[in-house]
Amino acid sequence: MSTSYQFDLLRTYRYLRLAMVLLVLLLFASVTMYINSDSGQMLQSISASYYTPVRAVFVSSLCAVGTCLIVYQGNTDLEDVLLNGSGFFAFIVGFVPTRPEKSCVASAIPRDVRDAISNNVTALMSIAVVAFVVVMGIQVFATPASERALSKGAGAALAASVVAFLGLAGFYVVNRDAFLCHGHDTAAILLFLGIVAVVFVSARGLAFKQAREDGRPPRAHFWNRYFLGFLLMVVSIAVIAVTGPWLGWLDHWVFWLEAALIAQFGLFWLTQTLELWREPRREDAPVTGA
């Protein structure tokens, strides 16, 4: 591999990671400008920005982040499957707007919104199937036999992703009205779960990497920056999602929960960009005998 090729590969990974950080900043900047504008107001959720002048930035940034997550090759098979699933759900979150009313009735959704959802989601589902077939074909026919096998964790994650996709697709086909009302929330939950799982997998990977460097067991390195980030995400979910609606101390708890998780997502990619500044990917295979 030539030095020029290696540098181009490294630079591509750098810019891909930085792009996700900048896309998060773009969304935050647009939402902040709207809230502080003369006609703006505090939003019930970041997703509610779909109904404001932020709409174009909201949808395009989600689609761009989704594309980056899918294109990005994870450090392990497991991480790659989680990134691909999260990227797909990001498209659904962007294409299916959250419903502002407390009790959604599909027939009351404006016709243009229903038509847009049907068009966009049908196209996305169709291309997702095509992409899956193409990738599986490449895996079987154009990948060396030594590289075809997935780890147990990746196999389980892939199976879970397929089940989640089939469930969401079945939800869309069988009960379109319910999907129009609840498809956004379902996809958003799956997206955030995938992101949190990616941070945990990165914590494990960094622990194995550090274990190889100093010979100590991986558990001695598990309290690293990514594991702390994972814990912060879990604590944010527990504190905001539980105490906010139940105790009534936070009227806009969904907004703050989304903001916290998205900000931590951006910080994760910034931290990983700095860690892997001089290498495309982290070699975080388990230590032999660990």
Side-chain angles (χ1 to χ4, degrees):
M1 185 182 294
S2 67
T3 303
S4 176
Y5 178 84
Q6 288 179 320
F7 179 71
D8 288 342
L9 178 64
L10 176 59
R11 186 166 55 179
T12 298
Y13 267 93
R14 285 177 181 172
Y15 290 163
L16 191 55
R17 297 185 191 107
L18 286 173
M20 285 188 268
V21 177
L22 294 175
L23 287 166
V24 169
L25 292 176
L26 171 65
L27 179 57
F28 275 164
S30 185
V31 170
T32 301
M33 289 172 62
Y34 166 73
I35 292 175
N36 292 321
S37 66
D38 293 337
S39 60
Q41 59 181 331
M42 187 63 185
L43 300 170
Q44 289 295 322
S45 67
I46 290 180
S47 298
S49 61
Y50 181 92
Y51 300 100
T52 72
V54 181
R55 177 188 296 190
V57 169
F58 174 74
V59 175
S60 60
S61 61
L62 277 169
C63 291
V65 167
T67 302
C68 290
L69 291 173
I70 293 171
V71 170
Y72 186 86
Q73 184 67 32
N75 295 288
T76 63
D77 290 335
L78 174 57
E79 182 181 351
D80 199 45
V81 171
L82 291 170
L83 288 169
N84 291 342
S86 298
F88 172 77
F89 295 128
F91 278 92
I92 296 290
V93 172
F95 290 165
V96 184
T98 185
R99 298 311 309 157
E101 61 271 13
K102 293 183 178 180
S103 180
C104 174
V105 178
S107 59
I109 298 176
R111 180 61 181 269
D112 62 325
V113 176
R114 283 184 285 150
D115 289 345
I117 294 173
S118 296
N119 177 284
N120 297 342
V121 175
T122 300
L124 176 65
M125 296 285 187
S126 301
I127 296 303
V129 172
V130 172
F132 182 79
V133 172
V134 170
V135 170
M136 289 298 100
I138 294 174
Q139 181 76 4
V140 173
F141 299 109
T143 303
S146 60
E147 299 179 10
R148 289 179 191 169
L150 294 175
S151 64
K152 291 182 179 180
L158 178 60
S161 298
V162 171
V163 170
F165 170 77
L166 292 177
L168 202 61
F171 184 22
Y172 174 69
V173 172
V174 175
N175 196 339
R176 184 69 58 87
D177 286 353
F179 185 89
L180 293 175
C181 287
H182 307 294
H184 176 94
D185 295 340
T186 302
I189 291 171
L190 292 171
L191 167 61
F192 284 122
L193 287 177
I195 289 174
V196 172
V198 166
V199 177
F200 177 82
V201 170
S202 293
R204 179 177 180 274
L206 182 59
F208 280 119
K209 175 185 177 182
Q210 293 173 333
R212 279 194 309 276
E213 293 174 350
D214 66 7
R216 298 168 64 196
R219 62 177 178 274
H221 301 282
F222 210 75
W223 285 92
N224 54 53
R225 51 187 171 272
Y226 298 131
F227 186 68
L228 293 176
F230 165 75
L231 286 181
L232 182 59
M233 284 182 159
V234 173
V235 170
S236 297
I237 294 172
V239 172
I240 300 176
V242 174
T243 62
W246 286 6
L247 301 182
W249 66 273
L250 202 57
D251 292 335
H252 304 278
W253 69 272
V254 176
F255 176 91
W256 293 113
L257 177 58
E258 290 178 340
L261 293 178
I262 293 173
Q264 290 164 41
F265 166 77
L267 181 60
F268 162 73
W269 282 108
L270 179 60
T271 303
Q272 188 166 237
T273 300
L274 297 176
E275 178 207 345
L276 302 176
W277 189 256
R278 298 186 182 280
E279 54 184 322
R281 296 167 59 195
R282 182 193 317 113
E283 181 57 46
D284 54 2
V287 179
T288 302

